[in-house]
């Protein structure tokens, strides 16, 4: 059989074969570097094609560090703003809830006044008494706090003095009678207590 004469050889020249002694296999000699690769090795001090990035100059490294500090400061500022926003939203939600509860409880104060009047007349008995106690317990669970007792020091911030009686036996203004109970929810005053006050007569001019 005749072999074809138009078959071309390999695109690249074969590796040079270096002869060895008897019993040793020949070794391939690596190709020489191109002039461009030799020039790159001389400029960088490293063999070309080693996969490592070239070293950065001092000004470049300084600029990168400054940009990193700026980005870090931006992230810290953004986190602080988000934390403040979250706290403000939580505080606003609590305030809205307290206002809603206070508005509902304020509408129920006349009912409590009627129960107090009926209790003074001895009309809160039997099943009606159990209903009144359950109502007071539920309102207390919502944060309603009554105040205004006989013998308490007079406080113009939470007491409304209906009358004032001079009394040499008392060193300070004191509530000697409670005409209407006062109520508050937490730090929010729903209404002051109406009281009769007695105390040392005011000093003359």
């Amino acid at each position: 059989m005749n072999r074809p004469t138009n078959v071309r050889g390999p695109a690249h020249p074969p590796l040079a074969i270096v002869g060895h002694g008897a019993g040793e296999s020949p070794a391939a000699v690596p190709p020489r570097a191109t002039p461009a690769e030799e020039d790159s090795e001389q400029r960088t001090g490293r063999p070309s094609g080693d996969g490592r990035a070239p070293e950065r100059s001092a000004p470049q490294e300084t600029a990168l560090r400054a940009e990193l500090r700026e980005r870090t400061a931006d992230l810290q500022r953004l986190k602080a703003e988000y934390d403040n926003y979250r706290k403000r939203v939580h505080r606003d939600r609590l305030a809205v809830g307290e206002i809603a509860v206070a508005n509902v409880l304020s509408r129920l104060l006349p009912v409590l006044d009627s129960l107090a009047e009926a209790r003074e007349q001895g009309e809160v008995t039997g099943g009606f008494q159990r209903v009144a106690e359950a109502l007071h317990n539920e309102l207390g669970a919502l944060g309603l706090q009554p105040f205004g007792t006989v013998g308490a020091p007079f406080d113009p911030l939470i007491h409304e003095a209906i009358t004032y009686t001079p009394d040499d036996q008392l060193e300070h203004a004191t509530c000697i009678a409670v005409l209407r109970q006062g109520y508050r929810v937490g730090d929010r005053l729903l209404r002051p207590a109406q009281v009769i006050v007695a105390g040392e007569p005011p000093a003359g001019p």
Side-chain angles (χ1 to χ4, degrees):
M1 181 182 296
N2 295 327
R3 297 181 179 179
T5 59
N6 59 349
V7 177
R8 296 182 180 180
H12 300 283
L15 300 177
I17 305 300
V18 180
H20 293 271
E24 297 181 358
S25 60
V29 178
R32 293 178 57 84
T34 63
E37 293 175 343
E38 292 178 353
D39 183 63
S40 175
E41 292 179 5
Q42 293 176 358
R43 285 186 287 102
T44 61
R46 293 196 306 269
S48 61
D50 59 356
R52 292 183 295 179
E55 295 181 356
R56 298 186 179 90
S57 62
Q60 291 177 339
E61 185 174 356
T62 302
L64 289 175
R65 290 183 180 275
E67 184 176 359
L68 177 61
R69 287 194 297 268
E70 182 179 356
R71 296 294 181 268
T72 302
D74 292 340
L75 290 176
Q76 292 175 347
R77 182 167 53 253
L78 181 62
K79 182 179 181 300
E81 292 177 355
Y82 174 73
D83 291 340
N84 292 334
Y85 168 77
R86 185 176 56 182
K87 293 177 182 178
R88 183 170 62 254
V89 169
H90 179 67
R91 184 171 59 250
D92 293 344
R93 287 178 178 176
L94 292 179
V96 170
E98 291 177 356
I99 292 174
V101 172
N103 291 336
V104 173
L105 295 179
S106 297
R107 302 292 296 270
L108 294 176
L109 295 185
V111 178
L112 298 180
D113 293 339
S114 299
L115 287 176
E117 184 178 355
R119 184 178 291 106
E120 292 177 356
Q121 297 177 3
E123 297 177 355
V124 181
T125 58
F128 187 31
Q129 181 177 1
R130 289 192 296 271
V131 172
E133 292 175 355
L135 177 61
H136 280 89
N137 293 335
E138 292 299 328
L139 296 180
L142 292 175
L144 184 65
Q145 301 175 359
F147 65 89
T149 57
V150 176
F154 174 73
D155 185 351
L157 296 178
I158 61 175
H159 295 145
E160 179 183 354
I162 303 301
T163 60
Y164 183 89
T165 303
D167 190 342
D168 296 337
Q169 303 298 324
L170 298 175
E171 297 181 358
H172 305 285
T174 305
C175 300
I176 60 174
V178 178
L179 303 180
R180 191 183 67 177
Q181 197 80 43
Y183 290 96
R184 60 188 170 194
V185 177
D187 297 333
R188 185 181 299 274
L189 180 66
L190 297 184
R191 76 177 186 191
Q194 291 183 351
V195 296
I196 296 177
V197 182
E200 183 179 4

